[in-house]
Amino acid sequence: MRNPRNVALGIVLFVIIMGVWEAGVRLLAVPMFILPAPSAVFVALYRGVSSGLYITHLKITFIATVLGFALGSALAFALGIAIALNRTVEYYLYPYVVMFQSLPKIALAPLVVVWFGLGLPSKVINAALVAFFPLMVNTIVGLRSAEEDRVNLMRSLKAIEGQIFWMLRLPSALPFIMAGLEVAMVFALIGAIVAEFIGAEAGLGMLIQSMNFTMDVSGQFSVLLILSVVGLILNRAIVAIRRRVLFWDVSVKANSGAAPIKGESV
Amino acid sequence: MGQPAVIAAARERAAPAVIAVSHLTKRYDSGREAIVALENIDFAVGDGQFVAVVGPSGCGKSTLLKILAGLLPATQGEAVLRGTPIDGPRRDIGVVFQSPVLFPWRSVLDNVLLPVDVQSLGRERKIVTAMELLALVGLKGFERRYPWELSGGMQQRVAIIRSLIHDPALLLMDEPFGALDAMTRETMNLELQRIWMESRKTVLFITHSIPEAVFLADRVLVMTPRPGRIMDMLDIDIARPRTLDVMTTPEFGTCVKRIRACFNATGGIDG
Ligand SMILES: Nc1ncnc2c1ncn2[C@@H]1O[C@H](COP(=O)(O)OP(=O)(O)OP(=O)(O)O)[C@@H](O)[C@H]1O
Ligand SMILES: [Mg+2]
């Protein structure tokens, strides 16, 4: 895919899109507070970055996202293992899991902000809450995905359950776990931003919110641009780890970027 | 020419049974109605003997193997391995399944060493054995490769030597070459004979294919359609090592014909 001709075509396409957008906005005299021209967006971006304003807020959102991701993933992983391996735990906890799963977790954000305040904790917790479910569900499914023949092989060798877990179930679950982590990372960013919308002293979400009040639409566009870059970087980081860990997995070699996950809502 | 056959026969007479199965019955109660998979199975396998089991699909061959491997409880009767009844998995059994069942995250060498890791047999010591076994099946130089880099036949060879690495008293094989093409299958038969003649393991080999059973085995057990019972038992006195040419000899033809006649009599034809 990445040969010089395709790169050139990609650049040409980008320039054309920007040109049409710029020309359209100018010719039709679209007001700035509806749709800013690309040039205005880039000016806003430059101002925001060079003044250090965006960097300050970016740091806060980034920290909330990564901490929330780590917290949510750790809990999801631990609970996923407990539910997958222990019938008693499953019996008592799974009904709640099912109930929570159909609930849009993002609807809890206002409560989380009320309970944990305007600072970092509420953002981390909201990010963790949203990131939690896809990974937990994938961990459960993954740990149960070990092929019967492989389990029989381990059993026939007189392996104890602990050995079957470490040597078979966990490696078999890794493709699911990595896919879950990929989704969890995106979800954590969403969770952090939404909590910042609801109430925050800083962060890119709060910045978007305040720009909305002042009708600074080109500013909002420039922050959105930053957010998509952040999302992309976080995703690439997970994908890179996934490639290393799952060097043996066929779906990674075939390079399907999409995570095999269904019915997950934020 | 007749010498090895005589020796094998003498050894069988002298050796005590490694495994003795008596009145073994298996009923599956899970479904709407109970399925009797095995009914009153009796047989014994002598030390170092190669016994093949043939039978139509669904007659309970895999069930029998799972019971002997300690993966399934019997409903009635018992199987005794070297003096102790089989009541669960044990370390002196090696199993080869229809598919190679290799772990893709382990290299070829690590796959062969899986039983060593599970049973803590000392990796350093067993690596030497593993390398020898790899060389024995023509996989020298592949030890650092991964299973997905190997052909189906190569993978099954890895599975076979994995079943030998912990030096089991009994080797159970459930249609190990069922998924291979005819040509590879013949090569694998020759190879298995060679491995068996070198290792002198006691083998119970399950197959759909009558010629494969006759080619490999000292003795063939013929099973009826469900519920599986042992219908016939046939000693194959063809000298070893057998080459693919024996398949065209009258002796071989007679054995195949006799087994096929059993199947025809019960209405099940296979292989
Ligand atoms: N877990 C199970 N629960 C209920 N019935 C089963 C189960 N496993 C096998 N059976 C039944 O027992 C019978 C014997 O099955 P088994 O797998 O042993 O046959 P097989 O001889 O190995 O067949 P094939 O040659 O096709 O592999 C079949 O009729 C099957 O439907
Ligand atoms: Mg079978």
Side-chain angles (χ1 to χ4, degrees):
Chain A
M1 253 333 261
R2 192 172 284 179
N3 65 42
R5 197 165 146 257
N6 287 341
V7 172
L9 280 175
I11 292 172
V12 169
L13 186 65
F14 178 76
V15 171
I16 290 175
I17 291 173
M18 288 299 128
V20 169
W21 179 0
E22 183 83 37
V25 169
R26 282 173 194 252
L27 289 176
L28 302 173
V30 181
M32 274 285 264
F33 57 86
I34 300 286
L35 182 66
S39 56
V41 174
F42 284 110
V43 168
L45 182 67
Y46 176 77
R47 285 213 189 107
V49 172
S50 61
S51 69
L53 179 74
Y54 286 6
I55 308 297
T56 319
H57 292 285
L58 170 63
K59 264 188 206 152
I60 289 179
T61 303
F62 188 82
I63 288 169
T65 302
V66 172
L67 286 182
F69 169 78
L71 179 68
S73 300
L75 291 176
F77 192 57
L79 204 63
I81 288 176
I83 288 178
L85 297 188
N86 191 317
R87 292 274 154 206
T88 319
V89 175
E90 182 192 3
Y91 181 82
Y92 288 109
L93 286 188
Y94 209 69
Y96 299 98
V97 170
V98 172
M99 211 181 80
F100 261 100
Q101 226 191 327
S102 45
L103 173 82
K105 267 70 71 183
I106 215 75
L108 295 170
L111 274 177
V112 171
V113 173
V114 168
W115 287 339
F116 297 98
L118 298 180
L120 188 64
S122 65
K123 314 302 171 298
V124 173
I125 285 165
N126 203 50
L129 193 65
V130 179
F132 176 83
F133 279 89
L135 182 59
M136 189 193 60
V137 171
N138 269 26
T139 304
I140 295 173
V141 173
L143 287 174
R144 290 186 175 159
S145 74
E147 282 169 32
E148 201 194 332
D149 267 356
R150 290 183 178 161
V151 177
N152 276 340
L153 172 72
M154 290 297 282
R155 291 237 162 90
S156 78
L157 292 169
K158 213 170 190 302
I160 55 171
E161 274 308 315
Q163 289 176 317
I164 297 180
F165 177 78
W166 286 109
M167 294 185 185
L168 175 60
R169 291 197 203 280
L170 194 58
S172 305
L174 277 179
F176 293 84
I177 291 172
M178 290 312 298
L181 286 175
E182 229 176 283
V183 176
M185 192 48 121
V186 178
F187 278 23
L189 183 57
I190 297 173
I193 292 290
V194 170
E196 287 172 358
F197 282 168
I198 308 283
E201 288 144 357
L204 291 177
M206 183 230 89
L207 199 59
I208 289 181
Q209 191 81 321
S210 67
M211 285 168 164
N212 208 33
F213 288 133
T214 56
M215 295 215 255
D216 180 4
V217 179
S218 44
Q220 283 186 57
F221 267 80
S222 65
V223 176
L224 289 178
L225 203 62
I226 290 183
L227 274 176
S228 62
V229 171
V230 170
L232 193 69
I233 289 170
L234 292 174
N235 178 260
R236 288 290 111 175
I238 300 279
V239 169
I241 295 170
R242 179 180 177 178
R243 283 239 175 84
R244 300 214 92 183
V245 177
L246 296 182
F247 66 94
W248 50 269
D249 188 37
V250 201
S251 72
V252 169
K253 267 183 270 135
N255 191 22
S256 62
I261 192 161
K262 277 198 200 118
E264 265 311 315
S265 58
V266 181
Chain B
M1 246 325 247
Q3 199 71 1
V6 171
I7 292 170
R11 201 177 45 165
E12 185 199 322
R13 249 175 269 121
V18 167
I19 184 152
V21 176
S22 48
H23 309 301
L24 195 72
T25 296
K26 176 67 190 179
R27 203 178 52 236
Y28 286 109
D29 287 319
S30 53
R32 251 173 296 135
E33 51 192 291
I35 292 174
V36 180
L38 295 173
E39 198 171 70
N40 224 355
I41 303 276
D42 282 287
F43 69 91
V45 183
D47 190 18
Q49 218 184 10
F50 195 119
V51 171
V53 179
V54 288
S57 185
C59 74
K61 302 185 294 294
S62 297
T63 303
L64 174 64
L65 183 125
K66 280 187 193 144
I67 292 172
L68 297 183
L71 296 170
L72 262 186
T75 311
Q76 267 161 42
E78 65 171 3
V80 177
L81 175 61
R82 292 204 298 186
T84 40
I86 296 172
D87 55 2
R90 34 199 287 176
R91 295 177 164 206
D92 50 356
I93 293 179
V95 186
V96 182
F97 298 91
Q98 178 162 0
S99 62
V101 203
L102 301 176
F103 293 1
W105 51 86
R106 282 180 167 247
S107 68
V108 167
L109 181 64
D110 286 339
N111 267 290
V112 174
L113 290 172
L114 181 76
V116 175
D117 291 345
V118 169
Q119 304 180 355
S120 311
L121 300 175
R123 243 181 122 85
E124 287 70 32
R125 195 166 52 87
K126 284 292 188 180
I127 279 181
V128 182
T129 321
M131 296 302 270
E132 282 168 11
L133 286 169
L134 280 166
L136 176 71
V137 296
L139 286 174
K140 208 176 175 165
F142 284 90
E143 57 273 5
R144 292 273 150 242
R145 299 293 192 87
Y146 283 86
W148 72 82
E149 300 174 288
L150 268 49
S151 71
M154 290 158 101
Q155 291 183 16
Q156 200 52 280
R157 274 181 269 178
V158 175
I160 291 171
I161 61 175
R162 177 185 59 197
S163 72
L164 294 169
I165 189 83
H166 55 304
D167 204 19
L170 174 67
L171 198 57
L172 300 170
M173 308 180 92
D174 190 357
E175 300 191 45
F177 309 137
L180 303 177
D181 63 274
M183 290 255 289
T184 315
R185 195 166 181 159
E186 285 185 347
T187 322
M188 294 298 294
N189 284 340
L190 283 170
E191 198 131 316
L192 179 60
Q193 174 180 243
R194 200 161 57 80
I195 296 170
W196 174 73
M197 289 180 77
E198 285 207 18
S199 65
R200 284 302 178 186
K201 289 283 172 226
T202 308
V203 180
L204 189 80
F205 184 95
I206 285 168
T207 177
H208 262 115
S209 157
I210 299 170
E212 185 172 76
V214 174
F215 179 80
L216 283 168
D218 296 325
R219 171 176 286 177
V220 179
L221 304 178
V222 186
M223 286 179 71
T224 60
R226 213 181 68 214
R229 273 170 282 120
I230 296 201
M231 179 168 35
D232 197 4
M233 200 171 78
L234 189 64
D235 284 315
I236 314 289
D237 290 321
I238 302 174
R240 291 183 193 270
R242 299 171 187 164
T243 59
L244 292 177
D245 290 335
V246 304
M247 295 201 182
T248 53
T249 61
E251 235 179 325
F252 192 92
T254 313
C255 295
V256 170
K257 226 176 265 163
R258 177 164 155 196
I259 298 169
R260 196 152 275 156
C262 288
F263 281 174
N264 287 341
T266 53
I269 315 169
D270 244 299

